[in-house]
Structures are given as structure tokens and as C-alpha cells.
Amino acid sequence: MIRNVKFNNFYSFKGEQEINFLAKKKKTFNYYNSKSGDQITKVATFIGGNASGKTNAMRLFSFFSYFICHNPSGIDNNFSKPYIAFKNFFNNNKPSDFSIEYEKGDFIYQYEFSIKENEIKKEKLSRKIIDSKSEKMDEIFSRNLNNFKLNKDNYFDKGFPVEALEKNIPKHISAIAYIKSNYNVEIIAGVFDYFNNLLSNIDERGNKYNYIKQTKTIIKYLENKNLKKEVEDIIKDFDIGLRKFEIIKIKKKMIGGKEEEFASVLGVHETKEKNKKIDFDYESSGTKSLFFMLPLILEALKNNGVVVIDEMETGLHPEAVEKIIDYFIGEGADKKVQLIFSSHSLDFLNKMDMHQIYLVEKNDNGESFAYRLNQVKPRSDGNFLAKYMSGAYGAFPKIRI
């Protein structure tokens, strides 16, 4: 579970920001009780006006996954074009710094890196035992430009070729992705797998449900009939008339005579006469959202994972958004799971507490800021929705027409 993230100079966020998911003295299963004595929120929502920076906050998490796991040319990566897929604040040439702290198994991990002009200037991975009384992290490796320091006493073989890292690793590829591709190091593989399984509807560029994500979801449906059945059972409860969907493989001949395999999705609707099928392209945006979103949520619940959803309300009635949140909280009551999402549909706010609501707003210089609702010290028994709509907490749109 993610404990906190820190970052700066990332899209509309200029100065250092901290998004902290830790709390104390919470008597609800909406929080996970860590052996560290902290509690980690299982649900976190980001709200604010249009263009305030909510999507940038969401794609931060996808960026961690992309950066840590992305190795575009595998083992032979000397010919990779130096490029890291993100933008800093108004394309300045200052460094962008990132840090994420998360729990996995019996350990707290901290991963930090700094990027400037498509080059990694610093990178460091550390960890400690969760219930350790010491605050000190045990360094696994550190990188300063392309100079590496490895902890060979605890994590790397004595003969591990650090010289190969310093000579061959591209300056725009994370050490975790490179080591995972080229060597068998258990602790590095574990970190890689954690971030590779961080699920989101948005990619590091801010695209939602892009073609690659849609294709992967359809493949999961084809390979996992139980997943398909689970999603169909949930969708039935949304009263949209859809009872199930069919996925049909189609082979098409491309230019040059080569055959490519595609999948056609049909929605099966229950009517008074009989069930009728509709090509998925003609389904409502809400139906499409559920089709691609629910597998992410179910996979996170199954694997004690993290799922990040930008604009959860897209195409959905506010009541549907509330039901999805309720479902996640109920199914995740005894699990180490997290749902992090942004939304303009705010009816659910009074179901959450002040440590689970994050506000995002932008100043006159175009800088975004994210802060936790508890930082403005609201009444714990107050009506969060009414107060937010009145502008009492900030991060409320100023629309003048």
C-alpha cells in the first residue's frame, strides 16, 4: 500500500508537493492498520475545478509505474532514444524530483529519483522492517548519474557486475527496469512487480483507456471467464439493461495478405421481446466505463493492489459512483487495497472523512497545489459536500459567465 508520495516540477505542479495517505486513531475498515502503528487510507479522492491539476495528480501514479518498469528496448538498449514520457512545469529545464514510500510484506520501501532533461541524475532504493523501532532505511542501491553503489552484503551477489551497470545502462532508463531485464535479483524483481501491477485507467501521458489498455482488458476477458462473469453480475445491478456481453474473435486480412486477429464486443440487452445485441461502439459512455473500469477494481481487490481512476464519474450517474466506492470498501474490508480516484461527481463526499479527501487548485501563475481536507481544519461532523460547494475549503471553480 502506498504511504505517501513527494514530487515537484511535474506538469502543473511546480513546488514540492506531498500526498500523504497516513492517519491515526481511525476506527473503521476504510483504513488498513499497519504494524508500524500508522493507518493507511484505502480510499482517497481528489476534487477541484476543471484544469486545476487533478488529472496530473492521477497520472503521477501511472508515471511511477511507467518510469520504474519501462525498458523500451529490453536487453539491447544502447540504441534507445533518450526520452522520459512526462513534462515539467511549463517546460522549464529544472530537475524534477520524485519519492514514493509503500508497504509490501513485512517491509516499508522508499524509492527516490531525480530527472533533468531526459536524464536520470539520482536514483535510490531503500527499505526497512515495518515494525522496526529505527527510522533508518537500509539502502539497497543508489545511483548518482551513472555511478552505482550496491549493497552486496544483503541484496546483491558479491560478484554482481556493477561495472556493467555503469557502462551500459542508458541515462533515461531506471536501474530497476534495467536490472530486471538483464539479471536475476530477487528484491529488484519484487519492486518491479509491485509497480508493474499498479493499475490505472490513465497512462503517464494522461490518456484514459487508450488503445493498449482497452486491448489488454479485452484479452483478460477472453482468458478469464470468471472475470467476465463477475463483471456481468455487477453490471446487472446498475439497471442499464445490459445482461452480458459477447467477445468474438475475428480474423481479417491486412494489406499484403497477412492475417491479424481482432475482437468484436457485443452488448446483450434484455427487452420485453427477447435479448438483443448491440455493437459495443454504440453502447453508452457509462457502459463502456464500467466495462473497462471494473476489471481494474476487481483485479486490485483480488491481488491486494492499488487502482487509480481518473474521472471515475465519466458517463456514470452520481449514484453509480457511490455504489462503486461502497463496493470497493465492502469487498476490501479485510484486504490491503487502495482506490485512488478523481471525480467531479461529489455526492459521495459525506461518506468519507477529512483524511480521505484531497483538494487540488491552481493559482494565477498556473501552479497546482494539492492539500488534504484536514489541513483546513473542518468540523469532523460537518457536511463536507455543502461546505465545499459553498467554497469554504477552497479548490472550488470560479466560473464567470
Side-chain angles (χ1 to χ4, degrees):
M1 299 184 73
I2 299 174
R3 294 168 58 88
N4 65 67
V5 295
K6 296 178 183 178
F7 63 102
N8 63 39
N9 200 24
F10 181 79
Y11 290 96
S12 59
F13 292 95
K14 181 182 179 182
E16 181 174 279
Q17 304 288 310
E18 180 175 9
I19 299 173
N20 194 338
F21 296 130
L22 300 180
K24 296 279 189 184
K25 300 178 181 179
K26 297 294 181 181
K27 299 178 181 179
T28 168
F29 54 72
N30 291 2
Y31 289 83
Y32 170 72
N33 295 309
S34 169
K35 293 179 182 178
S36 66
D38 298 310
Q39 290 173 298
I40 309 172
T41 183
K42 294 182 179 181
V43 288
T45 184
F46 288 71
I47 63 173
N50 289 113
S52 59
K54 299 186 304 299
T55 291
N56 292 336
M58 293 299 97
R59 68 172 147 192
L60 170 70
F61 299 97
S62 292
F63 177 70
F64 274 110
S65 177
Y66 152 83
F67 176 79
I68 291 169
C69 302
H70 185 62
N71 189 351
S73 51
I75 295 175
D76 183 16
N77 46 38
N78 292 314
F79 300 102
S80 302
K81 182 180 178 181
Y83 179 72
I84 300 174
F86 87 102
K87 297 294 183 183
N88 44 31
F89 183 74
F90 283 109
N91 297 313
N92 63 42
N93 62 353
K94 296 180 180 179
S96 299
D97 306 302
F98 304 87
S99 172
I100 184 166
E101 185 178 279
Y102 69 96
E103 291 190 12
K104 182 182 179 183
D106 295 325
F107 295 92
I108 295 174
Y109 291 81
Q110 185 176 48
Y111 179 65
E112 310 162 73
F113 58 98
S114 180
I115 300 169
K116 184 179 180 182
E117 298 176 342
N118 286 312
E119 290 188 358
I120 300 166
K121 301 302 182 182
K122 294 181 181 179
E123 188 177 6
K124 183 179 178 181
L125 177 66
S126 309
R127 80 172 186 180
K128 71 172 185 176
I129 299 173
I130 288 178
D131 55 1
S132 170
K133 294 180 180 179
S134 173
E135 292 295 319
K136 186 178 179 181
M137 290 271 189
D138 187 24
E139 184 177 298
I140 298 169
F141 78 81
S142 60
R143 173 187 188 183
N144 192 339
L145 297 178
N146 256 26
N147 297 316
F148 279 84
K149 179 183 176 184
L150 307 181
N151 187 334
K152 293 187 178 182
D153 291 333
N154 298 325
Y155 306 108
F156 291 85
D157 293 337
K158 297 291 184 182
F160 188 91
V162 64
E163 299 82 5
L165 294 183
E166 295 176 339
K167 179 181 178 181
N168 297 323
I169 185 170
K171 293 181 179 179
H172 64 295
I173 301 295
S174 77
I176 292 174
Y178 184 86
I179 294 171
K180 175 67 168 60
S181 292
N182 292 276
Y183 305 98
N184 183 19
V185 181
E186 183 178 358
I187 193 167
I188 297 297
V191 174
F192 180 96
D193 289 344
Y194 180 85
F195 285 97
N196 198 40
N197 290 315
L198 192 157
L199 307 171
S200 178
N201 73 331
I202 187 171
D203 65 17
E204 67 282 352
R205 297 174 184 270
N207 301 313
K208 286 186 281 291
Y209 299 119
N210 61 28
Y211 177 77
I212 294 174
K213 288 183 179 293
Q214 290 187 20
T215 301
K216 286 182 177 179
T217 300
I218 292 172
I219 290 171
K220 286 180 181 177
Y221 278 127
L222 286 169
E223 294 177 345
N224 189 338
K225 292 183 180 180
N226 289 333
L227 171 66
K228 181 174 176 292
K229 177 71 164 55
E230 283 184 86
V231 172
E232 288 173 341
D233 287 344
I234 295 172
I235 285 180
K236 287 176 187 176
D237 293 334
F238 279 84
D239 192 29
I240 55 178
L242 187 70
R243 286 297 171 260
K244 62 180 181 177
F245 46 87
E246 293 181 2
I247 303 176
I248 304 167
K249 289 184 179 181
I250 302 172
K251 286 187 177 181
K252 293 184 179 180
K253 283 190 175 181
M254 309 297 289
I255 296 174
K258 182 181 177 182
E259 281 193 341
E260 291 284 346
E261 195 171 75
F262 296 84
S264 174
V265 182
L266 300 172
V268 181
H269 290 257
E270 184 177 74
T271 67
K272 289 183 178 179
E273 296 178 5
K274 60 180 181 179
N275 289 347
K276 295 185 177 180
K277 300 177 182 179
I278 301 176
D279 189 288
F280 214 67
D281 286 341
Y282 299 100
E283 291 288 357
S284 71
S285 59
T287 299
K288 292 175 183 175
S289 289
L290 290 171
F291 180 85
F292 291 112
M293 184 199 313
L294 289 175
L296 300 176
I297 291 174
L298 291 172
E299 188 173 342
L301 288 167
K302 180 180 178 182
N303 299 320
N304 283 318
V306 179
V307 58
V308 178
I309 305 292
D310 185 42
E311 296 184 341
M312 180 184 282
E313 78 286 356
T314 300
L316 297 176
H317 189 277
E319 181 72 9
V321 175
E322 286 193 62
K323 294 302 181 185
I324 291 171
I325 297 168
D326 288 343
Y327 177 83
F328 186 88
I329 291 173
E331 294 295 315
D334 300 318
K335 299 179 180 180
K336 298 170 66 173
V337 294
Q338 280 178 301
L339 170 62
I340 301 167
F341 68 98
S342 68
S343 181
H344 289 288
S345 177
L346 307 177
D347 290 10
F348 59 84
L349 281 184
N350 287 330
K351 290 188 174 184
M352 306 179 79
D353 70 38
M354 67 179 74
H355 291 88
Q356 297 172 320
I357 301 170
Y358 300 76
L359 299 106
V360 185
E361 62 180 335
K362 187 180 286 185
N363 66 17
D364 292 340
N365 293 322
E367 298 176 53
S368 294
F369 299 88
Y371 54 96
R372 217 171 185 177
L373 180 56
N374 71 298
Q375 292 176 253
V376 300
K377 299 181 179 179
R379 285 173 53 108
S380 60
D381 60 348
N383 186 318
F384 295 148
L385 176 58
K387 285 288 188 180
Y388 173 71
M389 295 301 290
S390 73
Y393 302 145
F396 192 77
K398 299 175 183 177
I399 300 173
R400 301 180 182 91
I401 297 180

